Amino acid sequence: MSDSLSKIIRTTADVMFLFITVFGFYIVLHGHLTPGGGFQGGAVIATGFILLIVAYKLEDFLGWFQKRTFQNCEMSGLVLFIGTALAAIPLGYLFFMNFLNGTGGLFGQAVPFGINPGFLNTAGTIPIMNIAVGIEVLGGLSIIILYMTTGIRSHEEGE
Amino acid sequence: MIEIIHILVLIGILITAALIVWQKNLVAAAVTFAAFSFLLSIEFYILQAPDVAIAEAAVGAGISTAIYLIAIRATHDQEVT
Amino acid sequence: MIPFIVTAFVAFLFYLVLVVGSGSVLFWSWEEIIAGVIIGLVTGVIARKIFCRSENYRMLHPVRLISILIYICGPFLVELTKANLDVAYRVITGNVRPGIIRLHSGMKSDLALTMLAHSITLTPGTLSVDVDGKNHDLFIHVIHLDEGVEKKEAFEAGEIFSYMNIPAWIRRIAE
Amino acid sequence: MIDNLPFLVVAITILLGLYTLLLKKDLIKIIMGISLIESGVNLFLITLGYRWDSIAPIFTGAPSLAMVMPTVQALTLTSIVIGVATLALLLSMVMIIYRYYRTTDVREVSKLQG
Amino acid sequence: MMRTKVAWFTLVVLAGSLLFAALSIPFGDPAMSDMDDYFIAHGQEQTGANNIVTSIVFDFRAFDTLGEACVLFTAVFGVSVLFRLRKKGEDYEYE
Amino acid sequence: MIADTIIFIFLIIGLLFNALGVLGLLRFPDVYTRLHASTKATTFGSIFLCLGVVVFAISQYLGTSDSQYLMVITHTIIAVFALAITNAAGSHAIARAAHRSGQKPDPVVVDKLTEAGL
Amino acid sequence: MTDIFMIAALITAVIVFGALVRLILGPTNPDRVVAVDTINTLTVAVMILLGVVYQQYIFIDVAIVYALLSFVSTLYIAKHIGGEL
């Protein structure tokens, strides 16, 4: 745990982090149109945070983002996922029913059948669940790496 | 002609998988695991599974190697025999 | 406040580049633009301390943004082609005489140093190995040093490029 | 021309993983063997769902309508997530074991008590 | 060494059976695919998603995804519990 | 037809430099010279392979005016930029790590970094 | 038209094997990392070419993910080799 990687790597990581994050959000949001989805996009964004962890020292990273932020991300993602599934029951549908599809509101535009270029505003609850799982995976994978990096440190101190 | 690419990628998967088992240095094994993951992702791509290819890419390119190297750093990097 | 706006705007532009060709409003559809605004706000909250860490906004000037495109398409491509022909010659003949030399970069900001180091790595028979943190000197590995040159203590940045004056371009862009 | 080569690759990958799992003595190498078995199973599932001259099951800009089987791909996604989660948990346990026993040899670890 | 012999025996038996199984499955022509044909034919109008894999993951078989999310949560919880206990002196204390 | 010729030339250049890069990776004596071959030649070759795809997409777009070819152009250019930046930074990181781990360049005429002692 | 791209992808896939030889031989760990970096670059090229061959242009997303993310793995290995992790 001496000094970190060189200044060139750190500046490159600063620039790349923004593009990785936006591309991850693109994958999450277009999960029902192009290859991708909640898990893949969440893993991409988590890899962006891991890039910051590896390019900087751990103290610098913990000065920008706290561990509690990622824990809250994980829990809120899980709650949003289950909540979306449970919200079908008061409306008179089954658990995990896609109750928003075809209603015309949020994500409810009617989709043309067959081969089409794809529209963002379709597919009912699937984009909401994509976002929920994306937030959960983002928090989960980031906090795993964060705890394991902390584990090396406490490993050396405990001797 | 796509079959030749397919066969080449499969042979590459076999070579890297054997190399993972054969390497005595654990860092070299982790590096080879990254190459195995790359070739596995091309295989998924050829078998028309882009969702799985993206998942394998996102996991194998960053997170898996990171976890292995943190564990190797915390323990030791030569295999006991 | 300024970092947030800058980061959100850059993220919004990048998202628009990603989803080009989705609708009728000048290549984009309304849903994608709304989604882009939301993603820009979220990314601005997350990445504002990292993307604008150096706290200087001179890269926002439009002349610099246009000149970076001209730089990539013009001098950089010429040097890249020349460097690759050189490496191809070295690969075929096996005629190498490597060494690590010190280079006075003369760059003040981190971004300019990074651009110079990446240009050095990708262009003429050289590879940036390490950087001196105090006075921004670069240590570069050269694949073929001429006879007698290795006695020299340090090089200037313009000497290793043959056709174009890359450091002057980078100084014009990023400083 | 290609016949059963993908299934053979799956079998050999799983066998290499089993060999590592049964006969190696290092804990990290054993976990690499487990990960190899997971990769082999993922490849098996995807190979099982492939159909000749078919495309990926996505309608966005698809050139034809003959598609490969989508269910196995969905199950493989779940499998990859679980693989990463168990990998992280197992390697964390190896780190804890090394902290208290100062070794990653399975014989030493099983010999020591408490 | 008894255990090594048992391990080698197991490996040889598994190798035989796995190679036999690998040679007997036809590649590229699965026999039973009624469920998948149903998903491909009706998935787009029932869920509105163009990507059939996503519509299976989040709509038809969403319980699998729920289980996967719980496994990920358990793994994160396990890792955090493993690294939160630190030995300072005699007793364990929380960070 | 002009587009076909341009694509053909670009693909030939790309394949040639990729092959030369890997040949250099196999022939050169130590890790720094191998980095020269792999980083420069392979990045250059892959950029030209991707530019072949871009030219193909442009010609298809001018012929059919289908909007998905616009997406092909932008995504391929993004991949090219990401490849160039990450390859340069990655090779710098590897070279620095190799030098710090004590692996000195083997045929060498001058080594100012070891003399500087960073 | 797409036959040209197919042949290019085939030759690139053959070239990957040259990098695999360096991965097998490599006397030290940095050599292996260089080989893996080369494999990654060629993989991105193969993926973009095959996306055109299959006429499914949404597959190019996979190549972008690789091009953006393989950097992280290289950085981790470099940090471990340099003794800074």
Side-chain angles (χ1 to χ4, degrees), chain F residues 19-81:
Chain F
L20 280 175
V22 174
L23 190 63
L25 185 69
L26 293 177
R27 270 193 66 172
F28 275 155
D30 68 334
V31 63
Y32 301 96
T33 43
R34 278 174 201 146
L35 266 176
H36 276 284
S38 103
T39 306
K40 287 200 228 332
T42 318
T43 309
F44 190 70
S46 298
I47 284 175
F48 267 86
L49 287 180
C50 297
L51 280 184
V53 174
V54 170
V55 171
F56 170 75
I58 289 175
S59 70
Q60 293 290 111
Y61 179 68
L62 293 180
T64 62
S65 74
D66 189 355
S67 68
Q68 69 172 345
Y69 290 107
L70 282 176
M71 202 192 71
V72 179
I73 296 169
T74 56
H75 280 206
T76 313
I77 290 175
I78 288 169
V80 165
F81 271 97

Side-chain angles (χ1 to χ4, degrees), chain A residues 72-87:
Chain A
N72 288 338
C73 269
E74 157 124 26
M75 289 172 198
S76 59
L78 196 57
V79 167
L80 182 59
F81 182 67
I82 298 176
T84 312
L86 277 177

Side-chain angles (χ1 to χ4, degrees), chain A residues 69-149:
Chain A
T69 313
F70 294 111
Q71 288 170 347
N72 288 338
C73 269
E74 157 124 26
M75 289 172 198
S76 59
L78 196 57
V79 167
L80 182 59
F81 182 67
I82 298 176
T84 312
L86 277 177
I89 292 178
L91 297 174
Y93 301 105
L94 282 175
F95 195 55
F96 275 121
M97 179 70 198
N98 193 347
F99 59 91
L100 279 177
N101 183 26
T103 54
L106 178 70
F107 296 124
Q109 184 185 344
V111 62
F113 189 63
I115 295 169
N116 56 341
F119 303 101
L120 188 63
N121 196 9
T122 53
T125 57
I126 290 179
I128 299 175
M129 288 186 183
N130 264 326
I131 294 170
V133 173
I135 292 172
E136 191 213 340
V137 171
L138 184 165
L141 295 182
S142 302
I143 198 112
I144 283 177
I145 301 286
L146 203 52
Y147 268 118
M148 289 183 77
T149 314

Side-chain angles (χ1 to χ4, degrees), chain A residues 32-51:
Chain A
H32 56 291
L33 299 178
T34 59
F39 172 67
Q40 290 96 330
V44 169
I45 303 173
T47 315
F49 285 111
I50 292 166
L51 174 62

Side-chain angles (χ1 to χ4, degrees), chain B residues 23-28 72 75-81, chain D residues 26-29 98 104-105, chain G residues 29 32 80:
Chain B
Q23 294 277 12
K24 286 285 182 288
N25 191 334
L26 286 176
V27 178
I72 289 170
T75 57
H76 55 186
D77 63 353
Q78 286 295 328
E79 180 190 357
V80 293
T81 50
Chain D
D26 194 292
L27 274 174
I28 294 179
K29 210 57 179 290
Y98 188 82
T104 55
D105 194 342
Chain G
N29 283 332
R32 294 193 177 93
H80 182 266

Side-chain angles (χ1 to χ4, degrees), chain D residues 3-4 50 52 57 59 69 71, chain E residues 23 25 27-28 33 36 50 52:
Chain D
D3 287 341
N4 271 334
Y50 184 70
W52 287 115
F59 283 95
M69 291 163 68
T71 315
Chain E
L23 287 176
I25 303 174
F27 173 68
S33 60
D36 300 271
N50 273 347
I52 305 292

Side-chain angles (χ1 to χ4, degrees), chain C:
Chain C
M1 195 62 204
I2 296 174
F4 173 73
I5 294 172
V6 171
T7 313
F9 189 67
V10 173
F12 177 61
L13 284 186
F14 183 63
Y15 186 79
L16 286 191
V17 170
L18 273 176
V19 297
V20 67
S22 64
S24 56
V25 192
L26 196 72
F27 300 132
W28 295 282
S29 62
W30 282 113
E31 296 96 5
E32 299 282 5
I33 292 176
I34 295 169
V37 169
I38 296 172
I39 284 178
L41 293 179
V42 172
T43 314
V45 170
I46 293 175
R48 67 184 190 281
K49 289 178 190 164
I50 291 123
F51 190 69
C52 298
R53 193 170 55 91
S54 63
E55 294 282 333
N56 84 54
Y57 306 105
R58 60 168 78 94
M59 283 306 289
L60 293 179
H61 200 284
V63 174
R64 293 177 195 268
L65 291 178
I66 293 171
S67 64
I68 195 169
L69 281 178
I70 297 173
Y71 165 69
I72 288 172
C73 298
F76 185 73
L77 204 60
V78 171
E79 287 285 340
L80 189 62
T81 314
K82 185 241 163 200
N84 278 285
L85 292 176
D86 182 58
V87 168
Y89 170 72
R90 304 279 169 225
V91 168
I92 293 170
T93 61
N95 178 15
V96 293
R97 195 167 174 273
I100 295 181
I101 60 172
R102 179 191 275 267
L103 184 83
H104 282 310
S105 67
M107 299 293 170
K108 293 182 186 63
S109 69
D110 285 354
L111 184 65
L113 185 71
T114 307
M115 282 179 68
L116 181 66
H118 286 183
S119 299
I120 282 173
T121 303
L122 283 177
T123 53
T126 48
L127 177 75
S128 61
V129 176
D130 207 340
V131 52
D132 193 344
K134 288 188 284 296
N135 48 4
H136 284 188
D137 279 359
L138 285 169
F139 292 93
I140 60 178
H141 179 271
V142 186
I143 196 169
H144 188 84
L145 278 173
D146 292 333
E147 295 282 341
V149 172
E150 67 266 18
K151 304 289 190 301
K152 226 166 150 181
E153 183 58 35
F155 284 66
E156 289 303 317
E159 289 180 41
I160 58 171
F161 297 95
S162 52
Y163 297 128
M164 300 288 172
N165 196 356
I166 299 271
W169 273 93
I170 291 173
R171 209 166 283 137
R172 201 175 303 152
I173 290 170
E175 283 204 349

